[in-house]
Amino acid sequence: TPTEQTTKVPSDLPTEQPTATIEPTERPTEETTMEPTKQPTSGDAVQPIIERTGHSTSRTLATPMDYKWMKSEVTFDVIANETVKITSISVRMNRTGHGIPLEIYTMKGSYDSTGTWIHRQTVNIPEGLGEGALYVVPRDHFSPIEVPAGIRTAFHLKMMEENLLVGEGFGVFRDEIMTIEAGESVDHFFSHGVKEDYIWNGALTYELV
């Protein structure tokens, strides 16, 4: 069972990345709650949202809004054929409210491998917009996360309650630069098992480095 070091949750804007790490010693036994989808959901037709500001070009790659369950923790992989930096994250939630914390972890390699999860930051979502609404974390509330070219990088998102909306199956969603492969749902940072074939509902905004 991994042990998480205490990290300070920023109350305003994160200014530097925390150094806390999670070092699991053994992957828990998988607990499959449904028949896995035999073929992944195709995301080849997903078109990125492209915005140009100044000299940089931001792109947003999203998974489709197709949710059936609510979970507190989800994982997915990101692969890029050029080095990119994630400049914002968007999540679909099932509630309204204020000051909802979202913890973000990454790990080199795939989410279904044993490795070291690094706590990158905790962002406070000022206001939940209700069931199914996509909340975009503002850029100035988010510390950029670099994804090196050709290096699979796993993401783990965690909330205190079951606020994250997920769909059924395994999905691959891509544009010409980046791919999101989703994914799994976990309980209590893998301590209560892993549930396969859950698709995170959300989006990543990124720029080329």
Side-chain angles (χ1 to χ4, degrees), residues 10 14 89 100-104 121-125 137 141-143:
I89 192 168
I100 305 169
L102 172 67
E103 299 177 29
I104 302 171
Q121 58 193 295
T122 298
V123 295
N124 286 317
I125 296 176
V137 176
H141 284 237
F142 189 88
S143 296

Side-chain angles (χ1 to χ4, degrees), residues 69-165:
W69 294 280
M70 300 169 291
K71 296 295 179 180
S72 60
E73 302 178 51
V74 294
T75 61
F76 55 89
D77 287 350
V78 175
I79 310 101
N81 55 34
E82 299 182 52
T83 298
V84 301
K85 62 178 179 181
I86 308 298
T87 58
S88 181
I89 192 168
S90 306
V91 293
R92 294 193 189 277
M93 299 188 299
N94 71 323
R95 60 167 287 185
T96 58
H98 298 276
I100 305 169
L102 172 67
E103 299 177 29
I104 302 171
Y105 300 80
T106 63
M107 179 177 67
K108 184 177 179 180
S110 178
Y111 60 78
D112 61 1
S113 62
T114 300
T116 300
W117 287 101
I118 300 174
H119 178 220
R120 304 302 295 265
Q121 58 193 295
T122 298
V123 295
N124 286 317
I125 296 176
E127 182 179 7
L129 303 177
E131 183 173 340
L134 185 68
Y135 181 85
V136 181
V137 176
R139 288 173 61 110
D140 57 357
H141 284 237
F142 189 88
S143 296
I145 298 173
E146 186 170 300
V147 176
I151 303 298
R152 181 179 293 268
T153 302
F155 280 71
H156 179 98
L157 307 183
K158 179 180 179 181
M159 284 186 161
M160 297 301 296
E161 300 176 0
E162 292 186 335
N163 292 324
L164 296 169
L165 299 177

